[in-house]
Amino acid sequence: MSNVPAELKYVNSHEWLRLESDGTVTIGITDHAQELLGDIVFVELPEVGAQLDAEATAGVVESVKAASDVYAPIAGEVVEVNVELEGSPELANTDPYGAAWFFRVKPANVADLEACLSAAEYTKEIGA
Amino acid sequence: MTATTQEATPKTTPLYDSHVAAGAKIVDFAGWAMPIHYGSQLKEHEIVRNDAGMFDVSHMCVIDITGADAKDWLRTLIANDVEKLGFEGKALYSGMLTPEGTVIDDLIVYLTYYGYRMVVNAGTADKDIAWMLKQAEGRDVVLTVRRELAMIAVQGPNAIEKACKVLHEDWEATVKGLKVFQGFPFGSVEEGWFIARTGYTGEDGLEIMLPADEAPLFWKALIGVGVAPIGLGARDTLRLEAGMNLYGHDMDETISPLQAGMGWTIAWEPADRNFIGRAALEAERAAGVKMKQVGLVLEGRGVLREGLKVVVEGVGEGVITSGTFSPTLKHSVAIARIPAGTGASAQVDLRGTLTDVRVVKMPFVRNGKKVFE
């Protein structure tokens, strides 16, 4: 059974979002996504400064089994990426909501978060 | 959606309940419900490279071949020559070919005191048996399909030592004395135990055939001496590092063994042994074999995967037939079929970007160590 923390927001392409106190939004892939992918061996992250549209490709996650795009759940400017994750991609399997965050954006419109799924809605989406 | 039929239900091996109890993630593999991993494919891969792991390969099919014509018949049925089996228990790897010289299946055949034992792939077993029966018409050949047997592959540097702790103590000296690619019955043939020093991982180890009803207890005993259950996911990364073909991926009925790295399994001599597919292979060889099987190495980021296009500038194009991340080497490797004139480098279309790869001779890993330059 996948872990879906109640305090986060989600999109149906299996990214999670967390609004930080400084107004930035941290983004990663969900526990359900890492379970589907299996052992993760490479992660490609966006460049700091990149302007991403909502649903634009923001990176790639490769597991032993498959390659999968990581999408920007909301529009915004990339302000930080998790360099540690590039060196230790397996963190995405072990700590998807913690050490394995992917990137942070300064949202174009913070209200976009409201349109994302709640934990309950995402849980229903994945049939967990 | 209508009601599912009986045939649509995946078949299960005698160890299915053992897999579920061990927390396996079960997937459909060629119509069989099999464990893909028990938590982490990467960890399971490392266990086999460094210690001892075991695979349930009971979905593979064991066929005993007896009758006065068995030997002559096998000398026409498969491309390698059972005449080479010089002593009891010796095993031979071979392709079984169509008259057009393409691969129906790849298999192992053992010489036994009662005749021959053949082990074929799970997904091809029904097709193989139908083909073999057709070829056996009018010959004194008896095929006995041993579906009542289970099969467990114990592989890794500590595999034989650990397996001997749970095998019959009277068998230990014989098991430890098995030559590589040799196996024979322990006890009577009817009792069902057959142990061979073979495998599919590039490590030392045993493949143990045994009665299905004894398999769960034996599996449990192996766990008890520190042999870890390993899923088919790690079996694939291990065999790929070892540069071993997988039927339906690296070769099938559209590919000649000469283009699939199986040229060494064709016994051309004696020239009058007229095995099925020989004429087609001789014609192909005379015309010049157009494609060859090689290893590809990507030392940068990314994973080479089956089906990706290989581009060789000024020469032509090929295809990756198996690709993966190599857990031992920590980068991606692949088996590819590429134009025969290819040199030491090529490019792979990796998600829209032509990426340089090295062309190497396989295997990639043997006994836990990198072997290519």
Side-chain angles (χ1 to χ4, degrees), chain B residues 99-272:
Chain B
E100 293 74 36
T102 61
V103 186
I104 294 172
D105 203 1
D106 64 330
L107 54 88
I108 289 180
V109 59
Y110 299 89
L111 176 66
T112 71
Y113 74 85
Y114 60 87
Y116 296 90
R117 167 160 290 194
M118 185 182 280
V119 181
V120 304
N121 284 302
T124 47
D126 293 345
K127 170 185 84 166
D128 292 351
I129 292 163
W131 174 255
M132 289 163 72
L133 288 172
K134 189 176 162 207
Q135 302 308 318
E137 277 173 19
R139 312 287 293 271
D140 183 3
V141 173
V142 180
L143 304 180
T144 309
V145 180
R146 302 293 301 268
R147 274 291 176 210
E148 80 283 14
L149 298 182
M151 187 161 155
I152 298 169
V154 189
Q155 300 277 294
N158 300 327
I160 295 178
E161 193 64 43
K162 286 190 170 180
C164 280
K165 289 183 182 170
V166 294
L167 287 166
H168 198 297
E169 59 184 17
D170 292 349
W171 299 353
E172 183 171 342
T174 313
V175 169
K176 287 186 173 169
L178 282 170
K179 294 183 170 63
V180 174
F181 238 59
Q182 181 189 25
F184 33 70
F186 284 69
S188 73
V189 180
E190 293 71 29
E191 282 171 309
W193 284 81
F194 187 105
I195 303 174
R197 192 173 166 197
T198 51
Y200 192 50
T201 60
E203 299 295 329
D204 204 356
L206 303 171
E207 289 184 303
I208 302 170
M209 298 164 223
L210 72 166
D213 58 0
E214 294 181 49
L217 205 58
F218 184 62
W219 182 267
K220 201 174 163 187
L222 284 165
I223 291 174
V225 294
V227 180
I230 310 292
L232 294 180
R235 185 168 168 82
D236 194 52
T237 47
L238 288 158
R239 71 92 193 170
L240 215 160
E241 286 184 350
M244 293 180 189
N245 278 0
L246 175 59
Y247 192 84
H249 299 263
D250 305 301
M251 77 298 197
D252 57 28
E253 284 191 30
T254 68
I255 303 299
S256 135
L258 294 171
Q259 299 188 22
M262 293 171 69
W264 65 276
T265 70
I266 301 163
W268 297 102
E269 299 294 335
D272 62 352

Side-chain angles (χ1 to χ4, degrees), chain A residues 39 42-43 62-64 66 69, chain B residues 40-42 301-302 305 351:
Chain A
D39 294 297
F42 290 111
V43 169
E62 297 227 33
S63 70
V64 174
D69 288 326
Chain B
S40 168
Q41 176 178 335
L42 290 181
R301 300 168 66 80
R305 302 197 190 265
R351 298 168 66 84

Side-chain angles (χ1 to χ4, degrees), chain A residues 18-26 104:
Chain A
R18 184 176 61 226
L19 180 61
E20 306 294 352
S21 57
D22 63 358
T24 63
V25 175
T26 303
R104 286 200 176 99

Side-chain angles (χ1 to χ4, degrees), chain A residues 35-36 38-45 57 59-69 86-87 90, chain B residues 25 36-37 39-43 233 237 300-305 323-325 327 330-332 350-351:
Chain A
E35 275 178 14
L36 288 179
D39 294 297
I40 291 168
V41 292
F42 290 111
V43 169
E44 270 178 46
L45 301 171
T57 304
V60 179
V61 55
E62 297 227 33
S63 70
V64 174
K65 199 163 75 181
S68 185
D69 288 326
E86 287 183 317
E90 68 279 5
Chain B
K25 181 176 168 51
I36 187 82
H37 62 71
S40 168
Q41 176 178 335
L42 290 181
K43 281 192 190 128
T237 47
R301 300 168 66 80
V303 183
L304 304 170
R305 302 197 190 265
T324 191
F325 173 78
K330 310 294 181 205
H331 57 70
S332 184
L350 204 61
R351 298 168 66 84

